[in-house]
Amino acid sequence: MIAWLPRLVVALLVLVAGGTAGHWAGASVGAPMAGLCAGAVLALSAWLVADEWRVQRLMRWLHTASETEAPGRVGLWADMGYRIERELRVREQALADERERLAQFLSGIEASPNGVLLLDAEDQIAWCSRVAAEHLGLDARRDLLQPITNLVRNPDFVACVKASAGDEAVVIASPVPGTTLSVLVRRHGAGQKLVLTQDVTERHRLETMRRDFVANVSHEIRTPLTVLAGFVETMASLPLSDTERRRVLALMQEQTTRMQVLVADLLTLSQLEGSPRPTVDRWVSLDALVRRAMGDARGLSKGRHGLVAPADTHLLIAGAESELQSALGNLLSNAVRYTPEGGRIEVRWRRLGDGSGSLSVVDNGPGIAREHLPRLTERFYRVDGSRSRETGGTGLGLSIVKHVMQRHGGELQIDSEPGRGSSFTLHLPSVRLGTEQPTALSADTPA
Ligand code: ADP
């Protein structure tokens, strides 16, 4: 009401001014009253037209220009324009702040290694993070508003989306080959759903490995235990002659030894996995290592093979002596166990141009088919299970060798050809190789 008062005053002033001017002009032609009326009407009309123009200008600004200043400097419409503009700026700022927060929130979700997917009440994709799109093989833009169950047809996933009640995540094979996903679906809002995806391929692989490992260990221990139990029962229930008793006891000892070797290998593996990497300040004589391993191999071979050792290298290896001894011992024991009588087994040492070195155990035994090579270092993997067990193998030897090499910054290389023999090479990095000094720390180092 107050805002209109000045306008009323202005309108009256315009009327008065127009009337006065009209009266003055009318008087000069002898019609002062007619002049007054005409002047008042003309002045008021002009004022109204000008007013309407200001209103139109303000309306145009409202429709088009939120960036520019509101039109006019004085008057009711200018004042109104200024107030609208101020309100507009406040809201624009609030909207920009809101957008910024939303963008930060979304980029936070995008930075997560887990995927997030929002479904509307019809299970159509309302929003999809980049990771969720990767996990489920979707296109985050193209597939918007598509029903998720048309795009991801895995029955477990579909059941999970349809049920969407539990707190339990389900593990499914991702549409992306070779990937395993954990998917959790939660309801929210008015029938919307939140789908969380996580890549659990590695965890799943480790769990499978652990399960297989426990199953393998149980199997490996159960077999000799069953044999032992059979012998114990035989001895308890049957009267045996001295010769028979000795034979049964020898067989029982064989099974006991088998279990002892298995447990020893398992302990070695768990120690290798659980202890820190060997430091580079303890030096072991390579020649002493080779000498000891060759001695053990000769004992195992009992003269059935031709064993050839390399010339003295006078080199030192930085690392854990027991581990290195076990690695070389395992390779030589395998060569002796798998190479038929009369075969040749040779240990070779080579220093490479970059300062690294390689210690190889080469045999001319049966060799190994190509398809087995990548799996030989897996625990309990055997090419010929019965041959391995007959000769006292646990299936853990090469797995131990691989671990030892990894802990020493080196690697195990296997080359083999069926019918021609095998070569197992321990590659040692240059930082772990040194020249034998009379003052070397190792007990094996000649003083
Ligand atoms: P195992 O205790 O059975 O010998 P390893 O892990 O030492 O277990 O070896 C894995 C498998 O690799 C063996 O079962 C055997 O089939 C094969 N293998 C290892 N060394 C040789 C070799 N020198 N010649 C032929 N086959 C070998």
Side-chain angles (χ1 to χ4, degrees), residues 49-50 92 132 238 272 276 324 389 428 442:
V49 168
E92 274 173 2
L238 292 177
L272 289 176
L324 294 166
R389 288 187 186 90
L428 290 155
S442 169

Side-chain angles (χ1 to χ4, degrees), residues 107-401:
S107 83
I109 292 182
E110 292 287 12
S112 160
N114 298 335
V116 179
L117 191 87
L118 295 177
L119 300 179
D120 63 17
E122 273 76 48
D123 288 346
Q124 295 169 339
I125 301 171
W127 186 79
C128 177
S129 76
R130 186 183 47 78
V131 178
E134 268 170 29
H135 283 170
L136 297 169
L138 303 172
D139 185 314
R141 281 167 190 265
R142 189 197 58 206
D143 294 335
L144 272 189
L145 295 179
Q146 298 293 317
I148 185 76
T149 46
N150 286 359
L151 301 169
V152 183
R153 291 179 174 276
N154 181 304
D156 293 333
F157 179 81
V158 172
C160 183
V161 169
K162 294 285 177 214
S164 65
D167 289 340
E168 288 282 308
V170 292
V171 175
I172 63 164
S174 160
V176 183
T179 313
T180 309
L181 292 181
S182 160
V183 177
L184 180 67
V185 182
R186 284 287 182 84
R187 277 186 187 279
H188 75 102
Q192 288 122 306
K193 288 169 191 164
L194 173 73
V195 181
L196 300 170
T197 61
Q198 189 183 11
D199 186 337
V200 291
T201 313
E202 188 56 17
R203 203 170 75 199
H204 195 249
R205 195 182 64 82
L206 290 177
E207 269 169 24
T208 312
M209 264 175 67
R210 191 187 55 79
R211 263 200 308 274
D212 288 353
F213 181 67
V214 172
N216 277 323
V217 170
S218 312
H219 177 76
E220 294 292 330
I221 289 182
R222 197 180 54 189
T223 314
L225 264 183
T226 313
V227 178
L228 271 179
F231 285 139
V232 169
E233 204 183 313
T234 310
M235 289 186 84
S237 56
L238 292 177
L240 298 177
S241 67
D242 262 6
T243 323
E244 284 169 336
R245 259 187 82 238
R246 266 199 299 279
R247 204 173 62 83
V248 168
L249 281 174
L251 290 170
M252 286 172 80
Q253 193 176 16
E254 198 179 287
Q255 296 304 320
T256 319
T257 309
R258 189 170 152 192
M259 281 198 291
Q260 277 173 334
V261 173
L262 176 67
V263 171
D265 274 0
L266 286 171
L267 280 175
T268 306
L269 258 184
S270 91
Q271 270 161 11
L272 289 176
E273 283 173 351
S275 55
R277 284 169 79 126
T279 51
V280 282
D281 56 358
R282 289 193 65 85
W283 293 91
V284 181
S285 159
L286 173 61
D287 297 333
L289 274 182
V290 173
R291 265 198 301 277
R292 266 202 304 271
M294 288 301 283
D296 292 347
R298 279 194 192 95
L300 197 64
S301 164
K302 297 193 182 98
R304 289 175 296 132
H305 307 91
L307 284 154
V308 184
D312 276 358
T313 59
H314 304 289
L315 287 176
L316 297 172
I317 304 176
E321 187 169 359
S322 60
E323 293 182 20
L324 294 166
Q325 193 73 64
S326 152
L328 183 58
N330 265 307
L331 295 185
L332 270 167
S333 134
N334 279 355
V336 170
R337 290 190 296 115
Y338 295 107
T339 305
E341 195 165 345
R344 177 187 158 91
I345 298 164
E346 188 179 349
V347 176
R348 295 180 191 155
W349 167 255
R350 209 152 69 93
R351 195 80 193 254
L352 304 173
D354 60 358
S356 64
S358 65
L359 188 65
S360 307
V361 176
V362 185
D363 66 56
N364 62 356
I368 304 160
R370 180 185 286 269
E371 68 267 23
H372 296 291
L373 297 182
R375 300 197 59 191
L376 285 185
T377 54
E378 285 176 22
R379 294 161 184 189
F380 298 111
Y381 188 84
R382 293 152 160 132
V383 178
D384 179 349
S386 54
R387 173 104 185 101
S388 160
R389 288 187 186 90
E390 263 168 36
T391 56
T394 59
L396 296 173
L398 292 180
S399 177
I400 291 175
V401 178

